[in-house]
Amino acid sequence: MDIGRTLPAGINRDLADELLTFKSLYETLARCASDCIVEVDSQGCIARFNYAAESLTGYSAPSMVGRSIDDLIEGPAATLFTNELHTDVRTVGFTVRDTQAHPIAVRGRIVSLSRDQQIDGWLVSFAPVRKVREIEQLKNELVSTVSHELKTPLSAIKAYTATLRANPELYDGQREEFLAIIEQQADRLSRLIDDMLLVTRVNAEQLLRRRVEIALDTILNRIFSEIAFDAQRHSVARHTAGVTISGDPERLHDIFRNIIENALKYSPAGGKVTIAATASAERTVVDIRDEGVGIPDEHLPYIFDRFYRVDSELTASVGGSGLGLFIVHALVRAHGGTIDVRSIPDSGTTFTLTFPVRA
């Protein structure tokens, strides 16, 4: 029954309105879903075909509705759509054909639709096997990366706490040193958790809460008060006086903290970090330059990818989740800005960030 077209005689108007509301909600969810969703009626004909299915196969929904599911699925579809009522969702693998008759291997789930304990159709959701494998690989990378990054500070916290507990006679100076290390490692854990939470907001595109004009030095002063910065190891030159920047102060803090921490982490002792900014009526441009290990050319196209890290002897000793520059790139784009990078191995890297001036 298509309640969007025909109302049975005698149906209560309130019930009809409720049914139409549910129909609208169902169709909206189907359109918004990132997976392909195809509804098949009890006769094996396609009843609904969502946007994701259109994008994957090249077929339009109007051209597919009413056609046999055999026109979409390669091989006999009868093995997927049986008259046996299944109350559980089944995971299936099959192949669909696009408009050019190219086969696309997919993995999906199928569930029977029933009415009065009889098969009334099926609902199938699926995605390309390639996409499924990418998601699985991403999950594995997430677990591996987070496990490693959590283990290091937790091990340090446990070791120093155990030492303090076993040696209550430690001098005050030693106790303060150990407590400072514990606090530093706890802050590292907190930063990792914050990064993971921010990544979920990146994916949901819920990044900026507000936009104001703020002095760049205000942001930088806060950052240098928070990070473990050794002025004896690295000199920092700032040419930012009087420069303002337009954006969300918290997200701007995340952007510049990530880049500045990287500049300090990957710079050898004595390396200089320079932060220079200029502003005009239309934009603010900030250059952050270090004298560190640099980034080889073959890695530059990928440094803003999630979990991507440049593996080399120079970076092996430096921890990191591979999320920092991914977050930076997303936050800069959310501000309507751009980020460029230039790097020479063994000589240093320069990040150039451009932000539009907006009220």
Side-chain angles (χ1 to χ4, degrees):
M1 174 183 69
D2 190 339
I3 60 175
R5 297 177 182 174
T6 305
L7 292 176
I11 191 171
N12 180 278
R13 173 53 59 180
D14 291 338
L15 176 59
D17 290 341
E18 186 175 355
L19 289 173
L20 290 171
T21 299
F22 277 113
K23 175 178 183 289
S24 175
L25 176 61
Y26 166 77
E27 292 182 341
T28 299
L29 290 174
R31 285 197 300 270
C32 294
S34 59
D35 281 356
C36 303
I37 296 178
V38 176
E39 182 183 342
V40 182
D41 66 21
S42 58
Q43 303 303 311
C45 294
I46 296 172
R48 282 185 174 80
F49 200 78
N50 79 335
Y51 288 166
E54 289 182 316
S55 177
L56 178 66
T57 65
Y59 291 110
S60 67
S63 72
M64 293 303 293
V65 171
R67 290 173 60 176
S68 170
I69 189 64
D70 289 313
D71 293 341
L72 177 68
I73 294 179
E74 188 171 87
T79 57
L80 300 177
F81 309 103
T82 66
N83 289 326
E84 183 180 351
L85 182 61
H86 293 277
T87 56
D88 296 329
V89 176
R90 291 177 289 150
T91 300
V92 293
F94 54 96
T95 302
V96 299
R97 291 185 297 267
D98 64 15
T99 53
Q100 305 301 314
H102 296 145
I104 305 171
V106 300
R107 188 185 305 173
R109 293 177 294 178
I110 181 171
V111 63
S112 303
L113 305 176
S114 64
R115 182 190 301 173
D116 300 328
Q117 297 301 310
Q118 298 294 322
I119 291 288
D120 193 40
W122 299 267
L123 194 65
V124 191
S125 67
F126 57 90
V129 170
R130 171 184 48 78
K131 178 182 177 183
V132 174
R133 288 174 179 165
E134 287 175 354
I135 293 173
E136 290 175 349
Q137 181 180 358
L138 188 60
K139 289 179 180 178
N140 291 335
E141 290 175 351
L142 173 62
V143 171
S144 175
T145 300
V146 173
S147 298
H148 175 76
E149 288 299 309
L150 289 175
K151 187 175 182 179
T152 302
L154 282 174
S155 296
I157 290 172
K158 185 175 181 179
Y160 281 99
T161 301
T163 302
L164 287 172
R165 189 183 295 274
N167 299 276
E169 72 282 357
L170 284 175
Y171 293 112
D172 288 344
Q174 289 178 295
R175 292 177 62 85
E176 286 302 315
E177 178 186 350
F178 285 10
L179 289 171
I181 293 173
I182 292 172
E183 185 177 26
Q184 182 183 30
Q185 295 302 318
D187 288 342
R188 181 176 172 182
L189 282 174
S190 179
R191 281 287 295 172
L192 176 61
I193 294 169
D194 287 344
D195 282 350
M196 296 302 300
L197 293 174
L198 191 53
V199 166
T200 64
R201 297 187 64 190
V202 166
N203 292 333
E205 297 182 354
Q206 300 170 344
L207 297 176
L208 306 186
R209 296 175 181 171
R210 61 192 178 112
R211 187 186 290 270
V212 298
E213 192 168 292
I214 184 172
L216 180 56
D217 276 334
T218 300
I219 297 171
L220 297 179
N221 290 340
R222 176 186 166 190
I223 291 171
F224 282 104
S225 71
E226 294 173 347
I227 62 178
F229 170 57
D230 184 356
Q232 300 299 317
R233 179 177 173 83
H234 298 109
S235 63
V236 176
R238 287 165 52 174
H239 308 286
T240 54
V243 175
T244 60
I245 191 168
S246 174
D248 182 322
E250 289 302 316
R251 301 288 77 90
L252 291 171
H253 169 274
D254 293 327
I255 291 170
F256 290 110
R257 175 166 177 159
N258 268 300
I259 297 180
I260 291 170
E261 282 188 321
N262 276 353
L264 296 171
K265 282 196 304 184
Y266 294 108
S267 292
K272 183 178 181 181
V273 175
T274 303
I275 306 171
T278 59
S280 66
E282 295 80 25
R283 64 183 63 86
T284 301
V285 180
V286 184
D287 287 321
I288 302 175
R289 183 171 61 254
D290 64 54
E291 298 175 351
V293 299
I295 305 169
D297 289 343
E298 64 268 24
H299 292 285
L300 284 176
Y302 310 107
I303 62 171
F304 296 115
D305 290 353
R306 181 168 33 191
F307 301 122
Y308 190 84
R309 298 193 69 228
V310 178
D311 293 324
S312 70
E313 294 180 2
L314 296 172
T315 61
S317 61
V318 180
S321 64
L323 293 174
L325 290 180
F326 168 76
I327 292 171
V328 166
H329 187 250
L331 292 179
V332 170
R333 286 190 295 112
H335 281 86
T338 61
I339 179 169
D340 296 305
V341 58
R342 302 182 304 280
S343 188
I344 301 174
D346 301 323
S347 295
T349 302
T350 300
F351 285 91
T352 299
L353 301 95
T354 303
F355 297 89
V357 175
R358 295 179 180 173

